[in-house]
Amino acid sequence: MATGTHSLNHPGDSAPAAAESVALAQPPEELDLHPVEGMARWLGRLLHPIAFRMVSMVEQPRETMSGPLSPVKGYFRRDRHRHPEVAAETYALRVTGVPNPRTFSLAELQALPQESRVLVMECAGNGNHVMGSAGLIGQAKWTGVALKTVLEACGGTGDSTHFACHGLDPIPVIRRGYHYGLSLEELTRSRALLAFQMNGEPLPRSRGFPVRLVVPGVYSMSHVKWLGHIEGKTAPHNGIHNRFVFVNKRRNAAGKWVKEQARWIGLKSMVTRCIRDGDDWTLTGWAWGGADEIQEVKVSVDGGESWQQAELSGPGKYFGAPDGLESGDLEHAWSVWTYRWRGPASGSYRIASRAFAQEGQAQRLEEDPDVKGHFNQTRVKWRRVDVP
Ligand SMILES: Nc1nc2c(c(=O)[nH]1)N[C@H]1C(S)=C(S)[C@@H](COP(=O)(O)O)O[C@H]1N2
Ligand SMILES: [Mo]
């Protein structure tokens, strides 16, 4: 495998090399990964994207599910349909609840020291048991100003222990912008960034032009687009998305079900593609999330009866030394894995991957009996493939 900047070659990126095996008329070079549960299973490949679009959800297409960075075109999207048109010249970011409240123009923000991070961005509802599919995820390089730098320019955080971030997109009926709050501790730990660029390009309008928040390691409901106001508070933000929308219930030690907000991305992995290699198939995928570095990925091609080791490559390895990035800037990037599935007979198979971090940390096989809800569903995702 080639190393160096952005040169990860996944099978399928180049022209298929198996044209000589012509046992069947035009055998498929790539297999569909059918969801085995949820809406996507029932609606099928054509209908489910339409259904998703109706609620303003667009999944990353399979074709872009390889390589270190997800292209801007085709990057997953999740919002409330209305994308405000914000002009760079009149854009203003208000920061309140800090010792020196102030407003920044775009030029003022861009004059501050900039940094870049590569990270997995994942909707908290990605791959849940209702949707069944798993494309509300992408990895991009974001460039902008650290939230810390912006707050320092306002005299620090003062008494504020929490920050609500408000978008400029009007939500119908309530007519207030989208907003989400995190604690100062969470924003500091994640090294949150106010991004102006995605993969080296100016932020497209649908991505929150001109400025969006990026919170590495935290599910992306917190990555507020069209950021218009950062509001320092002395108590947790009680907005609708924090309290009602992105919440699960968890059974506590006393056996009581209590609300739990979606936060840090859990330990996960998925099979992204299944590409022909002669009589074999090469499975590729990603592993990400969790508190520690991914140590190992295992693959099952027999519905979980047996598990085999996949070849794993962490971001430090597959990126080589990307321009202007330090290893800490890749901390929340995915690991990629490949597995060569040798000559399966024709038939229908259940396949999945499973991520392991430090000893004792393994991606769940079954749903956590102490959690109910649609968010942060980390368990192993099975897919059906039909080998011709
Ligand atoms: N202003 C604003 N920011 C938002 C949202 C929104 O509706 N409005 N949706 C959030 C959710 S739920 C997700 S998953 C991510 C999706 O980011 P993307 O559309 O760039 O992929 O944006 C988040 N930021
Ligand atoms: Mo989301």
Side-chain angles (χ1 to χ4, degrees):
M1 187 181 289
T3 53
T5 306
H6 302 197
S7 61
L8 182 73
N9 272 325
H10 272 280
D13 287 350
S14 53
E20 66 274 13
S21 59
V22 284
L24 292 164
Q26 290 204 313
E29 295 304 327
E30 179 160 10
L31 297 181
D32 278 339
L33 300 160
H34 301 279
V36 298
E37 61 189 337
M39 200 172 78
R41 176 190 178 188
W42 305 111
L43 292 177
R45 268 197 81 185
L46 279 176
L47 267 184
H48 107 249
I50 297 172
F52 270 36
R53 219 169 261 269
M54 282 163 63
V55 289
S56 208
M57 258 187 219
V58 180
E59 294 192 286
Q60 184 174 160
R62 182 184 70 185
E63 295 68 39
T64 60
M65 285 195 169
S66 59
L69 295 177
S70 312
V72 174
K73 190 172 181 293
Y75 194 84
F76 88 97
R77 188 175 67 70
R78 176 74 182 112
D79 50 44
R80 325 285 126 158
H81 285 290
R82 295 199 188 182
H83 299 164
E85 196 155 357
V86 185
E89 305 73 43
T90 52
Y91 171 79
L93 172 69
R94 272 200 306 145
V95 186
T96 59
V98 288
N100 307 316
R102 59 175 281 195
T103 297
F104 293 85
S105 69
L106 185 58
E108 283 169 332
L109 280 178
Q110 288 177 334
L112 296 170
Q114 299 192 11
E115 48 188 77
S116 294
R117 317 281 299 280
V118 174
L119 52 120
V120 174
M121 189 179 276
E122 186 183 19
C123 176
N126 185 40
N128 73 29
H129 49 16
V130 180
M131 299 193 298
S133 57
L136 295 174
I137 181 169
Q139 175 160 287
K141 175 179 167 181
W142 301 90
T143 304
V145 176
L147 173 65
K148 185 169 183 272
T149 307
V150 173
L151 292 174
E152 277 165 5
C154 300
T157 50
D159 296 333
S160 291
T161 53
H162 292 78
F163 287 85
C165 295
H166 301 260
L168 296 166
D169 48 336
I171 297 178
V173 191
I174 342 176
R175 304 246 301 281
R176 275 186 56 201
Y178 179 86
H179 46 95
Y180 200 84
L182 290 172
S183 70
L184 176 60
E185 190 273 330
E186 288 160 343
L187 290 162
T188 306
R189 183 145 48 111
S190 62
R191 290 166 57 212
L193 191 73
L194 276 63
F196 331 115
Q197 276 186 9
M198 178 180 185
N199 292 349
E201 298 169 27
L203 220 55
R205 178 173 165 196
S206 63
R207 303 293 149 199
F209 180 85
V211 179
R212 93 175 293 172
L213 188 71
V214 168
V215 193
V218 175
Y219 283 114
S220 56
M221 71 280 147
S222 62
H223 300 214
V224 176
K225 305 198 269 191
W226 311 285
L227 185 64
H229 181 191
I230 299 174
E231 182 195 6
K233 308 181 97 168
T234 52
H237 180 57
N238 261 338
I240 159 172
H241 299 95
N242 278 87
R243 278 176 67 202
F244 300 112
V245 183
F246 300 106
V247 287
N248 280 342
K249 282 196 170 158
R250 178 180 285 278
R251 187 160 35 200
N252 68 15
K256 218 178 140 217
W257 291 93
V258 293
K259 279 188 179 175
E260 183 180 57
Q261 298 185 13
R263 275 297 181 279
W264 300 91
I265 299 178
L267 179 60
K268 295 187 182 184
S269 68
M270 69 188 270
V271 184
T272 54
R273 304 185 75 166
C274 180
I275 291 168
R276 181 185 289 281
D277 187 357
D279 291 334
D280 300 338
W281 296 89
T282 298
L283 307 184
T284 58
W286 302 320
W288 71 96
D292 296 295
E293 211 172 300
I294 306 289
Q295 308 258 301
E296 194 179 24
V297 169
K298 287 187 176 167
V299 169
S300 177
V301 290
D302 56 13
E305 268 171 52
S306 65
W307 292 90
Q308 279 84 37
Q309 190 101 14
E311 200 173 306
L312 184 68
S313 172
K317 191 170 167 202
Y318 66 71
F319 269 118
D323 295 340
L325 290 174
E326 320 243 333
S327 64
D329 300 336
L330 300 172
E331 197 189 344
H332 295 281
W334 57 43
S335 292
V336 300
W337 58 261
T338 59
Y339 174 74
R340 191 174 181 130
W341 185 15
R342 294 194 186 270
S346 61
S348 200
Y349 296 82
R350 276 192 176 214
I351 66 172
S353 62
R354 188 178 187 200
F356 297 80
Q358 275 181 346
E359 226 179 300
Q361 282 192 66
Q363 189 180 1
R364 302 190 73 88
L365 285 169
E366 303 295 339
E367 234 151 78
D368 186 341
D370 293 327
V371 176
K372 283 189 207 158
H374 302 329
F375 303 109
N376 188 21
Q377 294 205 4
T378 55
R379 85 186 141 87
V380 163
K381 286 278 142 200
W382 293 98
R383 293 288 179 254
R384 195 195 80 228
V385 290
D386 298 321
V387 175

